[in-house]
Amino acid sequence: MTSRDPALPGHHSPAMRASDADRDRVAAVLAEALATGRLTSLEHADRLQATYDSVTLGELAPITHDLPDVTATVHGPAIVRHEVRAVFSKVVRGGRWIAGRHTALNATFGALIVDLSNAVLPGREITLEVNSAFGKLIVRVPENAHVIDEVSALFAKRNISGGLGDEGGPVIRVVGRATFGKIIISRERTDWNLPDWP
């Protein structure tokens, strides 16, 4: 364990209790490892669970011991916040991509379709800020996700498949507003004409 280990920032003792920021640093390294093929989906899920179960820095350190030190490249604004927009157009986002800890999805006089089922989530909990103004916004979440619905609507249609997912699944907090538009958050693959992602 060296000072370059993302689980041991600076020269802190392994017995020191880990903070949420420490766990998030490790989760970001794991997300990058999954996105680049260094970890399988199952390995990523197991290590992510161990990350958020860890109490001390010493418990976090072994989780990334065989992964490169990429903290500087993955723990930047792209991981913290991500934004996808559709303005007077149709945008489809899916396949393997790294979502942000806070991901903003905006459909304005357009259609935005986002599939998170194969996305790399940078931590146990992410926030989706969804806004639809005279547009259509459809989001597919992982089947094991726990969805927390905090979306409001004004002269709009909203259908959010919330509730509990599997134990250990990601927590997706959905906030935002639909105004003269439509917001659909679902776990199921429906007739949205989604392509088969690689």
Side-chain angles (χ1 to χ4, degrees):
M1 293 181 286
T2 69
S3 61
R4 295 187 61 205
D5 192 318
L8 293 174
H11 296 284
H12 292 122
S13 165
M16 181 176 288
R17 293 183 72 89
S19 67
D20 287 340
D22 295 325
R23 294 181 191 92
D24 287 346
R25 272 193 296 275
V26 172
V29 172
L30 296 177
E32 178 71 8
L34 176 61
T36 57
R38 293 182 189 274
L39 292 177
T40 66
S41 296
L42 183 58
E43 289 170 329
H44 175 263
D46 289 344
R47 293 194 192 198
L48 192 63
Q49 182 65 47
T51 297
Y52 286 101
D53 287 344
S54 295
V55 176
T56 67
L57 294 177
E59 292 172 354
L60 282 176
I63 295 171
T64 55
H65 75 281
D66 58 346
L67 299 174
D69 179 15
V70 292
T71 312
T73 60
V74 301
H75 193 61
I79 292 299
V80 175
R81 183 172 174 83
H82 191 87
E83 184 170 4
V84 183
R85 291 178 167 271
V87 181
F88 291 101
S89 59
K90 178 180 180 181
V91 175
V92 179
R93 183 70 182 268
R96 180 59 62 89
W97 60 289
I98 300 178
R101 212 31 213 228
H102 185 109
T103 298
L105 305 174
N106 296 290
T108 306
F109 291 99
L112 176 58
I113 301 172
V114 176
D115 190 346
L116 290 173
S117 60
N118 289 318
V120 177
L121 305 181
R124 173 179 280 175
E125 181 172 340
I126 70 166
T127 298
L128 294 182
E129 181 185 338
V130 296
N131 289 290
S132 174
F134 299 94
K136 177 170 67 174
L137 176 56
I138 299 173
V139 181
R140 181 184 180 204
V141 299
E143 291 182 8
N144 65 341
H146 175 168
V147 178
I148 300 172
D149 174 13
E150 298 178 358
V151 176
S152 62
L154 176 66
F155 297 109
K157 176 181 179 181
R158 60 184 293 284
N159 183 3
I160 302 203
S161 178
L164 298 173
D166 295 344
E167 184 177 348
V171 176
I172 299 179
R173 183 179 301 276
V174 186
V175 301
R177 183 180 183 117
T179 306
F180 294 99
K182 178 192 293 187
I183 292 179
I184 298 173
I185 311 288
S186 176
R187 303 173 196 278
E188 303 297 327
R189 185 182 183 90
T190 63
D191 57 347
W192 304 342
N193 296 319
L194 289 177
D196 292 325
W197 309 112

